[in-house]
Amino acid sequence: MNRRLLSLLLILLAGGAAYLLFPYNLAFLTRILIMIVLVLSLDLILGLAGIATLGQAAMYGAGAYAAGLFAIHVWADPVAGLLAGAVAGALLAAVSGAVLMRTQGLTLIMLTIAVAQICAEIANRARGVTGGADGLRGIRPGKVLGLWEFDFIGITGYWYAFAVMFLVFLALAVIARSPFGLSLRGIHESPERMVAIGVSIYRRRLAAYTMGGAIAGIAGALSAQITQLVSLESFSFTLSAEALIMLILGGTGRLYGAILGTVIFMAVHHVAAANDPFNWLFVIGALVLVVVFFLPRGLVALPASLKRLAKGGRHAGS
Amino acid sequence: MTLLLNIAVDGVAYGMILFMIAVGLSVTMGLMRVVNLAHGGFALIGGTLAHWLGTEVGLPFALVLLGAVAGTIVIAMPLERLVYRRIYGFGELQQVLATIGLTFLMIASVNLWQGSSLLSITLPEGLNRSVDLGFRQLTAHRALVIGVGALVILGLWLLLDRTRFGIRLRAAVDNRDTASALGIDTGRIYMLTFALGAGLAALGGILGAELLPIDAYYPLRYMVLFLIVVAIGGLGSILGSFVAALAIGMIETASRYLVPDMATITFFVLVILFLGLRPRGLMGRAGA
């Protein structure tokens, strides 16, 4: 119990420290926070429920476009916009998940990519609504909770994104401890036994996928409100793949792995990708292979592995 | 009527290309149970080599084709030994990640070597001439694609059905452990099959460059397309991939002709509905 409080405190401290240490990089820090929300949603779907997906960008993009359109046409309130994004992400996840959760393995992975591609195609075609390849412009979010206006330097944006990330983290920590979360873990580890004790795997997985979709939608909505622009890139395969890589880098199923992996990945990206995206592909390709071969459980398992290595255990690092 | 014939001819040509590229993927997935997202990368490598051999070295087309396919196989074999062999036993998520990593490395290498622009493949004069089919003109190149595709399926059938290698391969696909217990060198079969699949992908990539243009991002852009062929055909089924590739070629061509604005969406919706109803594909094996 204490340990969990401690980790929450640590996140708060890290958020404050980052703000004080990098006051001129707030836009980049905010970007990291948004990605953390997206990777957390993936941790629920993949880390907890064990659903292999490469299409998390579909729900992220749906949330981004929904929040953007909501702000332009309905109401500029940011929190209401987040809700709109969450609803859009959840709806898309529920509808596509109804078919996707019937499949598994390669077919499932391929279909999740396909769903994101369909979304990108629809957004591209519906130029009148979404702005097509030019992106959705003119999003002007109002004051957060009617108190804080989005400023030019991004102070409000940073703390707003941080608060949302923190709440999402808390909610997921509660979900992971709940009976529902435990049943997801059970499905992940042994679907046959869960069927044997009378759990409907399909429904639980669909519910998890929908929840993850809602959170990914929130991440998309945050990005739409803070960058005030939604582009077709929101649906890109690269985004889904990078989110997955961040999660695996940090370690799945443990929430703080998602934070750790995202921060490290984004920091490396910031340095390595400075102006040549192709050289960045070398870095990320090599990084992924290193993680898969040498750190299959991610960075959060590193201390335990090192400890075992120091003790001379036979299965160190595995 | 002419429209239907047009769709049929273009669809078959397109389907043959998809088949050549995807069949190796299907067999390696059925055989090694590895989710290989990097397979399109071999088509990219083949296309890049063909571009280089054709425009910079200046070889005639037949040699370009041969050299590029051979070159791809030479690259694929050590990759199988060094990387793929290690991930056969991993979970599918690790396999997905490792092969995405490989794909990124392939894209970056091609870019470093040849840049990120379109890599054209020069065709000889003879292939640009058109053949009169009565109802329409068909370029000799497309006729060649259809011909080569037919030869490939015939060759694969002969290889699998009539040779000792084919018997061993089928045994290994059916049950890897029993096959290796019977003294079949499954490791060698894996490598040969992998090389064959990579070579066919290169062939399909080069011949199909007119329809699926080659540039550094090729493997990501068409990854879903190739995976769809495999998923619909059913893992490990060559005939399944062939039927699926032709059907997909036809459907996509038809939707381009009939509903050009909604082609991609129509196509994907049909695919998703089909796989929702038949998650194992046309000829999928139980438990694959």
Side-chain angles (χ1 to χ4, degrees), chain A residues 61-87:
Chain A
Y65 274 104
L69 291 170
F70 186 81
I72 293 173
H73 300 294
V74 186
W75 191 17
D77 184 67
V79 178
L82 285 187
L83 275 180
V87 169

Side-chain angles (χ1 to χ4, degrees), chain A residues 46 52 54 99 102-107 109-111 113-115 117-118 121-122 125 237-238 241 244-245 248 252 276 278-279 281-282 284-286 288-289 292-293 296, chain B residues 29 35 37 83 86-87 90 92-94 96-98 100-101 104-105 107-109 111-112 116 216-217 220 223-224 227-228 230-231 235 261 264-265 268 272 275-276 279:
Chain A
L46 193 139
L54 262 177
V99 179
R102 296 169 58 86
T103 62
Q104 51 178 330
L106 165 77
T107 309
I109 292 170
M110 187 269 290
L111 284 181
I113 310 174
V115 168
Q117 285 200 344
I118 297 177
E121 181 70 15
I122 293 175
R125 295 277 170 192
F237 171 79
T238 322
L244 179 63
I245 293 166
I248 304 291
T252 58
D276 188 352
F278 280 101
N279 280 335
L281 282 181
F282 271 119
I284 181 178
V288 171
L289 289 178
V292 170
F293 283 118
Chain B
M29 281 189 178
V35 181
L37 298 186
V83 180
R86 285 164 210 276
I87 65 173
F90 284 10
E92 67 190 19
L93 191 66
Q94 267 79 24
V96 163
L97 279 167
I100 287 182
F104 285 164
L105 289 180
I107 293 175
S109 315
N111 174 68
L112 192 67
S116 59
Y217 273 112
L220 284 187
M223 179 166 69
V224 174
L227 291 175
I228 285 175
V230 176
L235 295 188
D261 280 343
T264 318
I265 296 168
F268 275 128
I272 289 181
L275 286 173

Side-chain angles (χ1 to χ4, degrees), chain B residues 20 24 39 42-43 46 57 61 71 74 91 132 148 151 174 192 206 211 218 237 241 248 256 262 285:
Chain B
M20 280 187 264
H39 191 73
F42 295 112
V57 182
F61 187 66
V74 168
D132 196 0
V148 172
L151 280 181
D174 281 342
L192 289 176
I206 299 165
L211 289 166
Y218 184 92
S237 163
S241 312
I248 287 168
R256 269 185 217 294
M262 304 288 285
R285 323 163 58 82

Side-chain angles (χ1 to χ4, degrees), chain B residues 110-288:
Chain B
V110 166
N111 174 68
L112 192 67
W113 186 35
Q114 292 286 341
S116 59
S117 57
L118 203 68
L119 302 174
S120 62
I121 293 169
T122 25
L123 294 175
E125 275 298 300
L127 284 183
N128 285 325
R129 258 198 318 248
S130 44
V131 184
D132 196 0
L133 291 179
F135 59 93
R136 62 168 284 177
Q137 303 285 320
L138 185 71
T139 61
H141 178 250
R142 278 202 188 181
L144 177 78
V145 166
I146 297 179
V148 172
L151 280 181
V152 166
I153 178 84
L154 192 71
L156 281 177
W157 176 73
L158 281 176
L159 180 72
L160 287 182
D161 218 56
R162 291 282 184 268
T163 65
R164 192 158 285 267
F165 173 75
I167 294 172
R168 289 178 178 157
L169 174 61
R170 277 182 290 142
V173 172
D174 281 342
N175 192 323
R176 177 170 35 172
D177 296 335
T178 314
S180 90
L182 286 172
I184 295 174
D185 185 352
T186 47
R188 227 186 86 210
I189 299 230
Y190 283 6
M191 191 164 74
L192 289 176
T193 313
F194 193 85
L196 181 70
L200 283 176
L203 182 68
I206 299 165
L207 290 178
E210 177 200 14
L211 289 166
L212 309 174
I214 306 260
D215 67 8
Y217 273 112
Y218 184 92
L220 284 187
R221 186 167 316 124
Y222 300 116
M223 179 166 69
V224 174
L225 189 61
F226 305 147
L227 291 175
I228 285 175
V229 175
V230 176
I232 289 200
L235 295 188
S237 163
I238 288 179
L239 189 62
S241 312
F242 185 66
V243 175
L246 284 190
I248 287 168
M250 296 276 194
I251 292 171
E252 220 194 313
T253 313
S255 46
R256 269 185 217 294
Y257 272 102
L258 301 174
V259 278
D261 280 343
M262 304 288 285
T264 318
I265 296 168
T266 317
F267 172 69
F268 275 128
V269 168
L270 284 176
V271 167
I272 289 181
L273 286 181
F274 177 85
L275 286 173
L277 294 172
R278 288 204 56 142
R280 288 194 196 288
L282 282 174
M283 302 183 188
R285 323 163 58 82

Side-chain angles (χ1 to χ4, degrees), chain A residues 169-240:
Chain A
F169 185 88
L170 275 181
L172 282 179
V174 171
I175 290 176
R177 298 269 158 178
S178 69
F180 175 73
L182 291 177
S183 78
L184 290 182
R185 241 177 238 284
I187 290 172
H188 186 181
E189 278 159 23
S190 174
E192 293 84 3
R193 284 188 200 170
M194 292 307 279
V195 171
I197 62 171
V199 173
S200 165
I201 291 188
Y202 173 73
R203 279 195 206 160
R204 299 274 162 119
R205 283 178 13 130
L206 186 56
Y209 195 65
T210 308
M211 279 184 190
I215 295 171
I218 291 178
L222 265 184
S223 133
Q225 292 169 352
I226 287 169
T227 57
Q228 309 195 345
L229 171 80
V230 185
S231 72
L232 289 177
E233 294 297 304
S234 317
F235 287 120
S236 74
F237 171 79
T238 322
L239 182 65
S240 302

Side-chain angles (χ1 to χ4, degrees), chain A residues 89 98 108 125-126 131 156 195 204 231 249 273 304 309 317-318:
Chain A
L108 173 60
R125 295 277 170 192
T156 310
V195 171
R204 299 274 162 119
S231 72
L249 177 67
L309 195 69
S318 68

